[in-house]
C-alpha cells in the first residue's frame, strides 16, 4: 500500500483522498455585507452615545425648578418684587475686611530668621549677604544637596572664604541630614565654601 504524503506548507490543506466528498470552501464576505456590518456598528455607537447623554441629563435645558410648575418656580419672581421695593439709598452689606495672607517665606528668609535668632555676631554679619537658598525644602537623608548663593566675590581663593564657611556652619545648625552637603557660591557662581550638615 502506498501512502500519500501531504504538503507541509502552512495554510495549505491536504488533498482529499479519492472517492471522498470534499466540503465546499468557505464563502468570502461580500462588499455589501461589510458595508452593512460597518453601518450597523456606527448606528449602535450613536445609540450608545444617545443613551449615555440621556442618562447624564445632557438633554435637559433648564433647572428642575424651571421645569416644575409650582411654588418653587414663582419664588424668584416674588424675591425680585420684594427687592425692587427697597429704597434706592440702601447700602449693600459691608463684608468684614479680610486680612491679607502673608506670602510664603522663601527658604532664604527662613534661614536668615533662624541665624538672626540663634547665630553668633559673625554669622549674623555673614548671613546678610545670602541672596538665595536652593534645595533646603526637600530632604530624603540619602543625598541632600543644598546650594546657597551670596553677593560675595572672589570664589574659593578670595577674601570671603571665611564668611562662606560661617554660612555653611550656620546652615548645619539649622538643618540636619544623615548625608547632606551644603555648598556656598559667590555672586558669579564660583565655589566659596562647602560643608556637611
Amino acid at each position: 500500500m502506498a501512502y500519500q504524503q501531504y504538503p507541509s506548507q502552512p495554510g495549505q490543506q491536504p488533498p482529499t483522498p479519492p472517492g471522498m466528498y470534499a466540503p465546499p470552501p468557505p464563502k468570502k464576505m461580500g462588499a455589501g455585507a461589510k458595508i452593512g456590518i460597518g453601518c450597523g456598528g456606527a448606528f449602535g455607537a450613536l445609540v450608545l452615545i444617545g443613551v449615555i447623554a440621556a442618562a447624564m441629563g445632557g438633554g435637559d435645558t433648564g433647572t428642575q425648578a424651571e421645569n416644575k410648575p409650582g411654588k418653587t418656580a414663582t419664588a424668584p419672581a416674588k424675591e425680585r418684587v420684594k427687592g425692587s421695593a427697597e429704597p434706592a439709598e440702601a447700602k449693600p452689606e459691608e463684608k468684614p475686611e479680610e486680612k491679607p495672607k502673608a506670602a510664603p517665606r522663601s527658604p532664604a528668609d527662613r534661614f536668615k530668621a533662624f541665624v538672626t535668632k540663634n547665630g553668633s555676631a559673625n554669622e549674623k554679619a555673614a548671613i546678610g549677604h545670602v541672596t538665595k537658598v536652593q534645595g533646603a525644602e526637600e530632604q530624603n537623608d540619602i543625598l541632600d544637596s543644598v546650594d546657597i548663593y551670596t553677593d560675595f566675590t572672589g570664589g574659593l581663593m578670595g577674601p570671603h572664604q571665611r564668611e562662606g564657611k560661617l554660612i555653611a556652619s550656620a546652615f548645619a545648625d539649622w538643618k540636619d541630614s544623615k548625608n547632606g552637603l551644603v555648598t556656598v557660591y559667590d555672586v558669579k557662581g564660583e565655589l566659596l565654601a562647602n560643608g556637611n550638615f
Side-chain angles (χ1 to χ4, degrees):
M1 178 184 266
Y3 291 101
Q4 189 177 20
Q5 285 190 339
Y6 297 108
S8 61
Q9 295 179 1
Q12 195 175 30
Q13 292 190 1
T16 57
M20 295 214 48
Y21 172 72
K27 290 186 177 183
K28 293 185 179 179
M29 195 181 320
K34 290 179 183 177
I35 291 173
I37 290 174
C39 289
F43 179 72
L46 288 175
V47 169
L48 181 63
I49 290 172
V51 169
I52 291 173
M56 294 181 69
D60 192 15
T61 58
T63 62
Q64 290 179 352
E66 292 173 352
N67 291 335
K68 292 182 182 179
K71 293 182 180 180
T72 56
T74 59
K78 288 181 183 177
E79 289 176 5
R80 276 188 251 133
V81 171
K82 185 179 177 182
S84 62
E86 293 179 8
E89 298 174 11
K91 295 180 181 178
E93 292 182 26
E94 292 183 24
K95 295 180 182 178
E97 292 183 24
E98 295 180 17
K99 295 180 180 179
K101 294 180 181 179
R105 294 173 43 184
S106 69
D109 292 337
R110 287 182 292 188
F111 178 44
K112 287 179 181 182
F114 173 81
V115 173
T116 301
K117 183 178 177 183
N118 302 316
S120 67
N122 289 337
E123 288 175 337
K124 290 176 185 178
I127 203 70
H129 295 276
V130 171
T131 58
K132 181 180 178 182
V133 176
Q134 186 174 1
E137 297 290 318
E138 302 164 2
Q139 292 185 354
N140 58 11
D141 287 337
I142 296 173
L143 179 60
D144 297 324
S145 177
V146 176
D147 299 327
I148 300 177
Y149 298 92
T150 65
D151 59 2
F152 290 125
T153 58
L156 189 60
M157 302 305 286
H160 301 289
Q161 181 185 13
R162 185 174 69 89
E163 287 91 346
K165 283 288 186 187
L166 284 172
I167 293 171
S169 173
F171 187 85
D173 291 340
W174 183 46
K175 294 281 186 172
D176 291 322
S177 174
K178 292 180 181 177
N179 191 18
L181 175 68
V182 59
T183 307
V184 182
Y185 296 98
D186 70 358
V187 72
K188 293 182 180 179
E190 294 181 18
L191 179 68
L192 190 62
N194 61 8
N196 295 327
F197 69 96

